[in-house]
Amino acid sequence: KLLVKVGGCTDCHTPKVFGPEGPKPDPSRFLSGYPAENPLPKVDLSMIQPGKWVLFTQDITGAVGPWGASFAANLTPDNETGIGTWQPDMFINAMRTGKHLGAGRPILPPMPWQGVGELSDEDLNAIFAYLKSIKPVKNKVPEPKSLDQLTSIK
């Protein structure tokens, strides 16, 4: 729990609620990733160039940059939409290789997998065990989008 907290996982992987003091993590959607029901806002792609801007959605669960659009994953143990069926080695391999499930598509920015992957096996296993212990939340996060796919949202 401490590693997840100090690692800032909630910053990007937990949707926010907005009140008079600004955004706060929504405890009912803790670590459930980009809200599936939220359409990606329109993006001015002229701003998205290497060395210029990276844009975040209002609650910081989605980002658009030169790689396209990426969405924070559902880290809850939901079997259909989260990490419920993952095994510890899949999680460790994902953090060490930067590949989804340790062997799939690239894990995109802004996820700092390179730094997380430097943690010890013990720490990564502890993070995984904690994630498997939290409340499952059903939330199917969208697949990443290339810049070409974003032109239709323009």
Side-chain angles (χ1 to χ4, degrees), residues 70-83:
S70 51
F71 306 94
N74 182 345
L75 300 180
T76 74
D78 181 71
N79 284 336
E80 293 176 34
T81 64
I83 63 164

Side-chain angles (χ1 to χ4, degrees), residues 59-60 118 135 146:
D59 71 352
I60 314 173
E118 291 185 27
K135 179 185 115 189
S146 69

Side-chain angles (χ1 to χ4, degrees), residues 46-110:
S46 68
M47 295 177 67
I48 308 301
Q49 298 172 26
K52 288 202 172 186
W53 289 94
V54 172
L55 304 174
F56 286 90
T57 57
Q58 185 179 26
D59 71 352
I60 314 173
T61 58
V64 177
W67 63 89
S70 51
F71 306 94
N74 182 345
L75 300 180
T76 74
D78 181 71
N79 284 336
E80 293 176 34
T81 64
I83 63 164
T85 61
W86 287 40
Q87 298 301 313
D89 63 315
M90 297 164 106
F91 179 76
I92 291 171
N93 287 338
M95 293 303 101
R96 297 254 163 84
T97 65
K99 302 284 185 189
H100 183 66
L101 295 170
R105 65 164 174 76
I107 296 174
L108 297 172

Side-chain angles (χ1 to χ4, degrees), residues 118-130:
E118 291 185 27
L119 292 171
S120 68
D121 283 356
E122 181 181 6
D123 285 344
L124 289 170
N125 275 308
I127 290 170
F128 183 74
Y130 173 69

